[in-house]
Amino acid sequence: MPTPSPAPGPTPSPAVVRVADVPGRVAATLDAMGDVLDELGGLFAEAGEELALVGGPVRDAMLGRSHHDLDFTTSARPDVTERLLKKFAGGATWDMGRAFGTIGARRGDWVVEVTTYRSESYDPSSRKPEVDFGDSLEGDLGRRDFTVNAMAVRLPGREVEDPFGGVVDLVQQVLRTPGTPEDSFTDDPLRMMRAARFAAQLGFDVAPEVVTAMTAMAERISIVSAERVRDELVKLVCAPYPRRGLALLVDTGLADHVLPELPALALERDEHHRHKDVYEHTLTVLEQAIDLEHRLGDGPDFVARFAALMHDVGKPRTRRFLDDGTVTFHHHDVVGAKITRKRMKALRFSGDEIDAVAKLVELHLRFHGYGTGEWTDSAVRRYVRDAGDQLERLHVLTRADCTTRNRRKAERLRRTYDDLEARIERLSEAEELASLRPDLDGNQIMEILGIGPGREVGQAYQFLLDLRIEEGPKSADEARAALLAWWEQRAV
């Protein structure tokens, strides 16, 4: 595990909520949304229908956070909702969620989704929920995942409805279900994943009875579609406190079904016999990668985070005990890349995401051979070439992949990677490494060799590319001479 990152800063604490603060926070946040809330509330009231703001926007209003993506629930059926939203948004509506009672609309920066009161449950053998429309706001709130998401603001009057004690749980920073967790997870097993996701997003604890039910019912997550599981996993990994959510998945056994490579790491000790097993090391690498992702731009970077989470998943299959008592994990980078591809395909990630994460896993040990700077320029070029468009993420992952407590070693490794990055920058300025190509293109190769399109052109192109990596840029005459010499030698 070669490279260090700066010591991480203190983990931010979840927002503190006092009961006395809630009315003022809610009023101020709702005022910021006032034009939208009042207009929509008026439209539905004039049509004889109920409308309420629900879910995350209400929860976050109590935390003093405003939204531009708003969720509503209504007594209106989808056809009526669609007609009213067209008045609100001037026709900019969509109905992809009609089967679930949801119609969406956009007006300016505001995105709204309005869903008919409903209840839903899973058939024990089905991957898709069965949807039944409900007839009351309280009934709709009762089928929601957690009490902190089961609060509503009736419109247009802005009365707060909290039938299940969501405000108290928000103040106590705990996730509970409106009814029994067993009933809730039977209705929709994905809520078990959502418990881990909200723990990661909000930094809240999960009530003991909820953890107990998750543990007992973990296998039921297998009936949920891979796409829905994937989406929850992405949100969890990109949350402010991903360790909380991932640890909950592992501790309850849910990870055995959705990401079994993660709990498998808890059985392995790292090759240096340090105080942390590979599982703990992995979570630390993830947190250190998060501390460094400002290098990649604004916001969470899922590819970098997931690569940090998966970088050592090849270790369980490659562990070998030597006669002197040491442990090796030779080629765990290559094996881990294959395991990563298989898992991400099973979770229905896109090909681009799979390629990016797998490449980072495969390359995460490459710097280990750099030593104290012995690499030739050609080796540096190859490092950049192999990383391709993932080079900046590779910098982050490689720096994060050091959890040593030896300050002297950490500082030495940091300086060494600083040196490698400086060499890459110098060579990039001189040679345009990011767009590394042979000194002759395909048309020039065919003209010089007197051949047409075909496999031989590709072979000549690869020869010139390897020559460019090994020896740096050449003039057109030098490249022509090298190509002809290679061609003649090939014909012998």
Side-chain angles (χ1 to χ4, degrees):
M1 284 158 278
T3 32
S5 67
T11 302
S13 300
V16 175
V17 180
R18 298 183 304 169
V19 173
D21 295 336
V22 169
R25 284 182 173 179
V26 171
T29 306
L30 294 182
D31 282 344
M33 310 174 188
D35 292 344
V36 172
L37 301 184
D38 295 344
E39 182 174 347
L40 276 173
L43 283 171
F44 278 78
E46 289 172 5
E49 303 287 357
E50 296 178 356
L51 183 73
L53 183 71
V54 290
V58 177
R59 178 198 69 224
D60 286 353
M62 295 181 181
L63 296 172
R65 304 169 183 169
S66 61
H67 276 257
H68 277 81
D69 292 354
L70 305 180
D71 296 322
F72 299 86
T73 189
T74 182
S75 59
R77 293 303 190 256
D79 289 346
V80 175
T81 297
E82 185 175 34
R83 174 171 56 82
L84 296 175
L85 285 183
K86 284 182 177 179
K87 291 183 180 179
F88 167 77
T93 64
W94 58 88
D95 66 349
M96 290 179 292
R98 182 182 292 273
F100 296 93
T102 301
I103 306 296
R106 176 187 292 275
R107 188 172 76 179
D109 293 335
W110 297 98
V111 176
V112 303
E113 289 194 339
V114 182
T115 302
T116 304
Y117 295 154
R118 69 187 189 191
S119 61
E120 65 185 31
S121 62
Y122 275 80
D123 180 272
S125 60
S126 174
R127 287 180 175 268
K128 295 183 179 180
E130 299 175 354
V131 178
D132 292 318
F133 294 139
D135 55 10
S136 72
L137 175 59
E138 183 167 343
D140 182 88
L141 296 178
R143 56 149 289 277
R144 294 181 178 268
D145 50 12
F146 303 105
T147 59
V148 296
N149 296 328
M151 299 178 285
V153 177
R154 287 186 181 273
L155 299 172
R158 301 191 187 179
E159 301 92 356
V160 174
E161 297 284 346
D162 180 22
F164 303 102
V167 171
V168 173
D169 287 339
L170 196 68
V171 171
Q172 295 180 345
Q173 298 184 344
V174 64
L175 294 170
R176 301 183 191 277
T177 53
T180 68
E182 290 80 7
D183 286 347
S184 181
F185 300 154
T186 296
D187 286 346
D188 185 354
L190 189 68
R191 290 173 181 167
M192 295 184 286
M193 288 285 296
R194 288 169 65 83
R197 191 249 287 187
F198 281 119
Q201 282 187 337
L202 301 172
F204 286 10
D205 293 325
V206 179
E209 69 273 14
V210 176
V211 174
T212 298
M214 291 171 66
T215 304
M217 302 175 68
E219 187 175 2
R220 188 162 169 75
I221 195 67
S222 61
I223 74 167
V224 180
S225 70
E227 291 83 358
R228 296 185 76 208
V229 169
R230 174 203 63 208
D231 291 347
E232 287 298 324
L233 186 60
V234 169
K235 292 174 184 176
L236 188 163
V237 170
C238 290
Y241 316 96
R243 179 188 281 262
R244 283 177 176 258
L246 293 167
L248 184 61
L249 292 183
V250 171
D251 293 344
T252 58
L254 275 166
D256 293 336
H257 302 282
V258 300
L259 195 65
E261 295 79 10
L262 185 60
L265 295 176
L267 303 178
E268 307 302 320
R269 300 295 300 181
D270 73 51
E271 65 266 47
H272 301 298
H273 296 280
R274 297 295 190 244
H275 61 289
K276 296 176 182 175
D277 60 21
V278 180
Y279 168 69
E280 287 294 332
H281 162 76
T282 294
L283 295 181
T284 301
V285 172
L286 171 59
E287 291 180 325
Q288 294 186 163
I290 292 171
D291 290 336
L292 291 168
E293 68 182 358
H294 59 84
R295 296 170 55 126
L296 305 175
D298 297 330
D301 189 296
F302 172 75
V303 168
R305 293 189 183 198
F306 202 62
L309 191 62
M310 301 296 284
H311 78 284
D312 273 348
V313 295
K315 284 189 170 180
R317 294 191 187 179
T318 58
R319 181 173 62 166
R320 299 291 182 271
F321 295 95
L322 303 183
D323 292 340
D324 62 2
T326 59
V327 182
T328 66
F329 301 96
H330 293 316
H331 306 301
H332 78 267
D333 46 348
V334 176
V335 173
K338 293 179 181 178
I339 293 172
T340 297
R341 284 187 176 278
K342 183 176 180 180
R343 176 54 51 199
M344 293 185 74
K345 285 181 180 178
L347 289 170
R348 305 291 194 270
F349 281 96
S350 71
D352 288 345
E353 289 171 313
I354 294 171
D355 289 344
V357 175
K359 177 183 286 188
L360 291 167
V361 172
E362 185 169 359
L363 294 177
H364 83 274
L365 286 183
R366 183 71 63 88
F367 170 72
H368 193 62
Y370 189 70
T372 56
E374 293 86 357
W375 276 5
T376 62
D377 283 352
S378 64
V380 175
R381 293 187 194 101
R382 198 170 295 279
Y383 187 78
V384 173
R385 174 70 180 184
D386 290 348
D389 60 1
Q390 299 305 312
L391 181 62
E392 291 303 318
R393 287 184 174 126
L394 183 58
H395 290 334
V396 167
L397 176 59
T398 309
R399 287 183 177 276
D401 188 20
C402 177
T403 57
T404 179
R405 291 185 174 183
N406 185 321
R407 289 182 177 271
R408 180 178 297 178
K409 179 181 179 181
E411 180 61 22
R412 173 174 55 79
L413 291 171
R414 184 191 64 77
R415 288 197 307 267
T416 304
Y417 203 84
D418 286 346
D419 177 69
L420 174 59
E421 284 201 66
R423 289 184 64 188
I424 290 172
E425 184 175 357
R426 288 195 300 271
L427 284 171
S428 295
E429 291 175 354
E431 304 179 12
E432 300 180 356
L433 290 188
S435 56
L436 197 62
R437 294 181 179 86
D439 296 296
L440 302 173
D441 63 24
N443 289 329
Q444 291 171 309
I445 290 171
M446 289 188 288
E447 181 181 349
I448 291 169
L449 299 181
I451 60 176
R455 184 178 63 179
E456 291 172 326
V457 177
Q459 293 170 342
Y461 187 93
Q462 187 61 50
F463 161 74
L464 289 172
L465 178 58
D466 290 341
L467 186 67
R468 171 75 170 78
I469 292 172
E470 292 298 328
E471 299 182 10
K474 294 183 177 298
S475 68
D477 289 342
E478 290 172 332
R480 176 188 176 91
L483 175 62
L484 289 171
W486 170 82
W487 184 253
E488 291 176 5
Q489 184 179 16
R490 180 178 176 278
V492 173

